[in-house]
Amino acid sequence: MRRDHPVRLMVSRRRSMVGATKAAFVLATLAPSALAATYSLSDNHVGTNFLSTFTHQAIADPTRGRVNYVDQATALAQNLTFASGNTLILRADSKTTLSSSGPSRNSVRIRSVKTYTTHVSVFDIRHMPQGCGTWPAAWETDEASWPNGGEVDIVGVNDQTPNAMTLHTGANCNMPASRTQTGTATLNNCDVNANGNSGCGVQAPTPDSYGPAFNNAGGGFYAMERTSTFIKVWFWGRNAGNVPAEVRSGGNSINTDTWGTPTAFFPNTQCDIASHFDAHNIIINLTFCGDWAGQAGIFNGAGCPGACTDYVNNNPSAFTDAFWDIAALRVYT
Ligand SMILES: *[C@@H]1O[C@H](CO)[C@@H](O)[C@H](O)[C@H]1NC(C)=O
Ligand SMILES: *[C@@H]1O[C@H](CO)[C@@H](O)[C@H](O)[C@H]1NC(C)=O
């Protein structure tokens, strides 16, 4: 449950109140409003918790990547998924040379069992998959009702530095050209049927938001706040001076109003957030090549040689850095 505290209003008035009257007033002011947003920790996904709070999806990759998503038993047996203490590793097979006519490279895609509407997701990530043809993603959607139930891409889905945070929706959802965010908007029409499903994206201002630069800095924190009236995403590098203490420490409660200007801000001025986004699962996946990353212009443009699928087939050791190392995913409601 989201709690809203119209703090300043209460301070002067509460002194004159006593007992039940005061309690009733406080309760009334806890009703949703557009004021300060305090949330409490609902789901603390850390280490082995992920093995029961998330499902490994052994499915065909919807982006037609050169990937073979395996189930949890296989992922654990092959150590593609490793969970211990405050560490969750999700990685691709980096040992097997593949036959071009045989199965694709083993990898992992996990989806939260629970779904969330109004909430804040805080990802504490030490390392994200990097390397030629590697396409990681952490995002939220309702796969059963896509695109009308909406999609929020938090990190990786566009596989580019800097990271882009992007919404994908049904028709009639646009973002204003001017808004308060530190990132830079690319396209403002979120409709999947406009602009070839590019969605409405916002690029983070710094290269350490993605890939090798992110990893070299020890990773960092991504946080996404979703309410019925807006979606915000913040990124802070591991060593940034402005990481909120409650984010760094994984506090039991958070107040997003103290976090400063978001990296990406998606308001409801030209998009009814409440009707374009339904209850979402959180998904973390790692594919290779596929519709976006496999395009010759993208693959070769990133300095990677030959054809993406040949590269994935023939160079297992090139995927030793194709892993997620996630310290925690905390969901606040
Ligand atoms: C599995 O992966 C973890 C994390 O990378 C590593 O510490 C561990 O040694 C691996 N286990 C085996 C059996 O290779
Ligand atoms: C993850 O899977 C979804 C489809 O279910 C896709 O839209 C997204 O692009 C995928 N991302 C990666 C990096 O595999």
Side-chain angles (χ1 to χ4, degrees), residues 24-98:
F25 177 76
V26 170
L27 277 177
T29 60
L30 292 177
S33 76
L35 298 176
T38 303
Y39 300 78
S40 37
L41 185 60
S42 162
D43 296 291
N44 195 21
H45 306 283
V46 177
T48 53
N49 296 349
F50 278 100
L51 302 180
S52 52
T53 58
F54 275 71
T55 306
H56 283 63
Q57 296 179 281
I59 57 168
D61 180 22
T63 66
R64 292 165 284 274
R66 186 70 173 130
V67 69
N68 179 43
Y69 287 130
V70 299
D71 61 22
Q72 180 166 301
T74 306
L76 289 171
Q78 298 186 358
N79 211 23
L80 303 181
T81 296
F82 171 82
S84 176
N86 65 352
T87 296
L88 174 73
I89 305 283
L90 303 172
R91 74 177 125 223
D93 166 34
S94 59
K95 298 189 178 129
T96 312
T97 301
L98 307 174

Side-chain angles (χ1 to χ4, degrees), residues 27 95 110 116 118 133 149 237 300 315:
L27 277 177
K95 298 189 178 129
I110 63 172
Y116 304 95
T118 290
N300 300 141
N315 297 288

